[in-house]
Amino acid sequence: MSKETRQFETEVQQLMNLIVNSLYSNEEIFLRELISNASDAIDKLRFEAQTHTELLEGEGELHIRIAPDSETKTLVISDNGIGMTRDEVVENLGTIAKSGTAAFMKAMEESKKGDAIAPELIGQFGVGFYSAFIVADKVTVETRKAGEGEAVRWESDGLGSYTLETCAKKEHGTTITLQLKAEGLEEDFTEEWAIKRVVKQHSDFVAYPVIMNVEKTEPLPDEEIIKDADGKPIGETTKKVRADETLNSMKAIWATPKSEVTDEEYDEFYRHISHDWNSPLDKIHMKFEGTTEYDALLYVPSKAPMDMYYSEKKTGIHLYCKRVFIMDDCTELMPEYLGFIKGVVDASDLNLNVSREILQQNRLVRNIRKNLVKKVLELFSKMEKETYAGFFDEFGPAIKSGIPMDHDNRDKLAKLIRYKTTKSDGAYVSLEEYVAGMKEDQEFIYYITGEDLVSLAGSPHLEALKAKDYEVLLMSDPVDEWVVQSLPEFDGKKLKSAEMGDLDLTEVDDDTKEAFKNFMEYLQKQLDEEIKEVKLSSRLKDSVSCLSGDALGMSAYMEKIMKASGQEMPKQKRVLELNGDHPLVVAVKSLFEKDAGNPVLPDHAQLLYDLAIISEGGRVEDPALFSKRVGELMAKAL
């Protein structure tokens, strides 16, 4: 097929523009990414070959080869892995079919400091191949899919287009040739010592040999050594030769005793499997022996990945069987809410040909999952308070989401969740700490949900609770709405919303109710389309009015979340509560009693309702009219 020129997808062009015109603070990261991709390709071939042995085509050792050339300023990275078809080349190298692309590019822009981009971003969004353009003016890819006859050549300068054509390639696999930039690079990546250093630092734990033909010094054969009369060498005793050298240890770190693994090795292996430039926060390295045997090395990241809440993101658990790769996205081994955990599980009793369907029904896998979750939750519970607070800042919403998802571990998760409160001065409080600090006469664990902590802390719904010196949990994550539905009580204390139902803290006496009866009926008639009921409040101490819901109804925040997700919601009528002691309410009531037909009364009724909406951070339907009414009221008062 003749050479064909194509344009990159729009997202890739934008991505290329960012990468080509920016530099990592560490340029060398490109080599780690390309070696990692090559390792993945061999993993896939090895897995497919379990059932299709012909794909190996009589191959010897599966490997990755690096070939630098200082004269031509090229660097070649090749593998004899699965390879790609023409369609796969277009899909993988011409398109980024991920919903997180926009977020990735935004994150790159925001992370730029001068000319540097945070190196962890490439790996997190699965676009590591494009890091080649950090060091290369041109990239050529030649690849042939195992079991296929046709090979394809892809080539681009990263400036918006690429070419495709068929080519001859004897072996299956992929060969990437980088035409390195002539100037501007901090390091010469054709130097053997530079390549050795990068591979040792970033790719030492890759499971396949990373080979490079290097110059070595070898002793000369005895017969070639020139000697004096006494038999002592008087000439060269060594010679320079070139030979293949394996640059990485291929150490299966998860199967190595903990005492033989250094902290540096743990950290580098984490970076290898996670593509995260940061060091992990903590780790679990365990060997389980008994009816089932397996090795596990799990890591807790220190920072939440940029794509953590994208539905297409992969989990971080790599599954092996007797050190043979099975899959890198084993959702069966870790629940979704712990999907940020990275690591490796090597189970010796698994079938090498295992499929996802078999995994889902496999008793061994279910047992491993149960033990892993138990160990992870134990690790969280044993963290120092300050360390856990930092962890919860990053992963709190994920931990909370486990409460409605994981019934078996609900009690453990309830002890792990944290909230800021009306008394905590910005610090996190556990439910155990909250219960321990409850007043003697306090019956419930009080909470309020909403969009931001500042509005929640100042909500009029809390005035009576604050007056009794009761602490209130401030819940500002959307997932909190599902938490309180799934966690009706903790340590024998029921959770109670500060805005739903009656608080039953104080009683409005019958004489007051009778005195306000006619006025309340009037307001109900005026606002009937907006509210379910109007009543005197037991919540309010300083504010004019507020809106509350039924004890079993939907909170205002939940309604907002559902609408934002595109779900059509029936109009939720709520209760308008008035502070009968507030001067404004007293004045409007007095005006009503003097002249029930006064034309300003409907405006005042609407104003009392609008003030309730604004007090909880809501938006009134007609802001201009609201402003006009307030202005007129102020003018008369002055």
Side-chain angles (χ1 to χ4, degrees):
M1 185 180 292
S2 60
K3 182 180 288 189
E4 175 187 2
T5 300
R6 295 192 181 193
Q7 297 296 312
F8 286 116
E9 295 290 323
T10 304
E11 294 85 355
V12 180
Q13 291 191 43
Q14 294 171 336
L15 177 67
M16 287 293 196
N17 188 52
L18 283 172
I19 290 179
V20 172
N21 295 298
S22 305
L23 292 177
Y24 281 127
S25 55
N26 269 326
E27 298 167 345
E28 65 197 40
I29 206 69
F30 83 93
L31 190 54
R32 182 192 74 177
E33 294 300 322
L34 297 184
I35 291 174
S36 182
N37 287 349
S39 175
D40 291 344
I42 299 175
D43 278 340
K44 290 173 183 175
L45 175 65
R46 199 175 178 197
F47 181 59
E48 292 293 330
Q50 298 297 323
T51 51
H52 302 282
T53 55
E54 70 278 5
L55 294 179
L56 292 176
E57 300 178 3
E59 283 281 341
E61 186 179 48
L62 296 168
H63 66 276
I64 301 162
R65 180 175 290 278
I66 300 177
D69 190 325
S70 57
E71 292 185 6
T72 61
K73 296 292 290 183
T74 59
L75 182 65
V76 179
I77 299 95
S78 59
D79 66 73
N80 53 354
I82 193 71
M84 292 180 283
T85 65
R86 186 185 188 89
D87 288 343
E88 288 171 337
V89 167
V90 173
E91 179 181 354
N92 294 329
L93 305 187
T95 307
I96 304 179
K98 293 179 180 290
S99 64
T101 303
F104 164 74
M105 292 186 289
K106 180 181 178 183
M108 284 187 72
E109 288 282 19
E110 291 177 351
S111 73
K112 288 167 65 176
K113 299 176 181 178
D115 289 330
I117 298 177
E120 65 270 20
L121 296 179
I122 284 284
Q124 286 185 2
F125 282 85
V127 290
F129 168 77
Y130 300 105
S131 64
F133 287 96
I134 297 166
V135 297
D137 287 325
K138 183 175 72 175
V139 177
T140 304
V141 178
E142 294 184 343
T143 183
R144 180 168 73 82
K145 183 73 173 278
E148 302 285 338
E150 182 181 89
V152 62
R153 179 185 291 117
W154 179 99
E155 191 168 272
S156 177
D157 57 10
L159 299 179
S161 65
Y162 61 92
T163 61
L164 280 174
E165 59 184 320
T166 54
C167 67
K169 193 175 191 305
K170 183 179 178 181
E171 291 184 335
H172 60 72
T174 301
T175 299
I176 301 174
T177 303
L178 309 182
Q179 184 64 57
L180 297 172
K181 294 179 179 179
E183 54 186 38
L185 298 181
E186 296 177 359
E187 199 162 359
D188 183 354
F189 292 105
T190 64
E191 292 280 359
E192 290 179 1
W193 65 268
I195 294 170
K196 286 183 178 181
R197 180 189 63 77
V198 174
V199 172
K200 185 66 179 175
Q201 181 176 349
H202 298 299
S203 305
D204 195 45
F205 304 106
V206 169
Y208 308 102
V210 179
I211 298 169
M212 182 169 65
N213 191 264
V214 300
E215 186 177 73
K216 293 184 174 182
T217 300
E218 288 187 355
L220 281 169
D222 189 65
E223 62 270 16
E224 295 182 18
I225 299 175
I226 302 173
K227 303 176 182 178
D228 61 17
D230 296 327
K232 294 181 180 180
I234 58 175
E236 295 291 336
T237 60
T238 61
K239 63 178 178 180
K240 301 287 187 182
V241 298
R242 298 200 69 84
D244 283 351
E245 180 179 322
T246 299
L247 307 183
N248 59 321
S249 69
M250 296 176 285
K251 185 177 181 180
I253 191 171
W254 61 87
T256 304
K258 289 186 282 186
S259 60
E260 298 177 16
V261 184
T262 66
D263 290 340
E264 290 76 16
E265 288 175 322
Y266 275 126
D267 284 2
E268 283 306 324
F269 183 68
Y270 168 72
R271 295 186 182 106
H272 167 63
I273 62 170
S274 68
H275 300 280
D276 182 358
W277 195 248
N278 301 292
S279 294
L281 179 66
D282 214 330
K283 65 183 179 297
I284 298 170
H285 189 178
M286 59 180 282
K287 183 175 185 66
F288 191 91
E289 296 177 324
T291 53
T292 58
E293 293 187 1
Y294 58 90
D295 295 293
L297 176 54
L298 306 180
Y299 292 93
V300 181
S302 55
K303 298 289 182 183
M306 302 298 296
D307 62 345
M308 182 166 166
Y309 296 107
Y310 286 99
S311 58
E312 292 88 352
K313 79 172 180 67
K314 289 188 175 183
T315 58
I317 305 300
H318 297 237
L319 177 62
Y320 285 76
C321 177
K322 300 174 185 175
R323 302 192 189 182
V324 176
F325 171 80
I326 301 296
M327 63 184 67
D328 63 355
D329 179 29
C330 192
T331 56
E332 291 77 15
L333 284 175
M334 197 63 69
E336 184 180 351
Y337 70 91
L338 293 177
F340 58 86
I341 297 293
K342 310 293 183 185
V344 168
V345 173
D346 192 336
S348 59
D349 294 332
L350 278 179
N351 186 327
L352 281 174
N353 298 329
V354 70
S355 67
R356 285 205 178 276
E357 290 72 25
I358 297 174
L359 275 180
Q360 290 166 0
Q361 302 164 14
N362 189 289
R363 186 175 65 180
L364 169 61
V365 171
R366 292 197 299 269
N367 186 47
I368 294 174
R369 173 184 171 125
K370 181 179 179 180
N371 289 332
L372 294 182
V373 172
K374 178 183 177 182
K375 290 291 184 181
V376 169
L377 297 185
E378 284 178 359
L379 178 67
F380 295 160
S381 67
K382 293 176 181 178
M383 284 183 181
E384 295 291 334
K385 187 170 184 176
E386 288 188 8
T387 301
Y388 189 75
F391 163 80
F392 201 77
D393 274 334
E394 297 289 329
F395 300 101
I399 299 301
K400 291 176 185 177
S401 69
I403 289 179
M405 296 170 66
D406 188 352
H407 179 78
D408 292 341
N409 290 296
R410 187 170 299 164
D411 291 341
K412 293 179 181 178
L413 289 166
K415 293 180 179 180
L416 291 172
I417 61 176
R418 301 287 186 270
Y419 290 103
K420 294 174 181 179
T421 76
T422 50
K423 290 186 174 184
S424 68
D425 195 25
Y428 282 121
V429 171
S430 69
L431 294 182
E432 288 178 303
E433 291 171 325
Y434 180 99
V435 171
M438 287 174 62
K439 297 295 180 182
E440 288 186 8
D441 63 338
Q442 185 177 339
E443 183 180 355
F444 300 102
I445 297 174
Y446 291 101
Y447 69 88
I448 186 169
T449 61
E451 285 188 273
D452 67 90
L453 293 173
V454 174
S455 297
L456 290 177
S459 172
H461 294 97
L462 309 185
E463 290 174 359
L465 293 169
K466 289 179 179 178
K468 293 186 72 68
D469 199 29
Y470 290 171
E471 189 172 20
V472 182
L473 302 175
L474 306 177
M475 299 184 170
S476 57
D477 284 329
V479 70
D480 289 326
E481 289 285 354
W482 283 270
V483 169
V484 295
Q485 290 179 28
S486 305
L487 192 68
E489 65 175 53
F490 178 84
D491 197 17
K493 301 291 185 180
K494 291 184 177 180
L495 275 71
K496 188 176 182 65
S497 171
E499 65 161 323
M500 307 290 288
D502 290 321
L503 292 182
D504 298 324
L505 296 177
T506 58
E507 286 289 332
V508 180
D509 62 77
D510 291 338
D511 290 342
T512 304
K513 289 180 181 178
E514 185 63 30
F516 273 81
K517 180 181 178 182
N518 292 336
F519 179 51
M520 293 298 185
E521 290 176 351
Y522 170 79
L523 294 177
Q524 179 70 54
K525 194 174 297 183
Q526 291 294 321
L527 302 169
D528 194 55
E529 292 186 7
E530 307 293 339
I531 64 173
K532 179 179 180 180
E533 179 188 356
V534 59
K535 68 178 184 180
L536 291 173
S537 179
S538 61
R539 286 180 171 81
L540 301 175
K541 296 296 181 182
D542 302 311
S543 300
V544 177
S545 57
C546 71
L547 292 169
S548 62
D550 290 331
L552 300 177
M554 182 182 296
S555 72
Y557 189 38
M558 175 63 97
E559 183 181 0
K560 190 169 186 176
I561 292 171
M562 301 299 280
K563 286 181 178 178
S565 66
Q567 298 193 43
E568 291 188 13
M569 300 293 300
K571 186 176 179 63
Q572 301 287 319
K573 286 189 175 184
R574 299 165 70 199
V575 177
L576 175 63
E577 298 191 10
L578 297 180
N579 181 353
D581 295 326
H582 196 281
L584 179 58
V585 175
V586 171
V588 177
K589 173 177 174 289
S590 177
L591 182 61
F592 166 76
E593 290 171 344
K594 289 178 182 178
D595 181 8
N598 194 308
V600 302
L601 277 173
D603 286 347
H604 289 349
Q606 186 65 44
L607 188 61
L608 293 173
Y609 174 68
D610 288 346
L611 287 171
I613 292 176
I614 292 172
S615 71
E616 63 181 17
R619 178 184 173 86
V620 297
E621 287 189 9
D622 191 339
L625 183 57
F626 172 78
S627 178
K628 178 175 179 291
R629 286 168 176 161
V630 171
E632 291 174 349
L633 195 64
M634 290 179 67
K636 289 179 180 178
L638 293 172

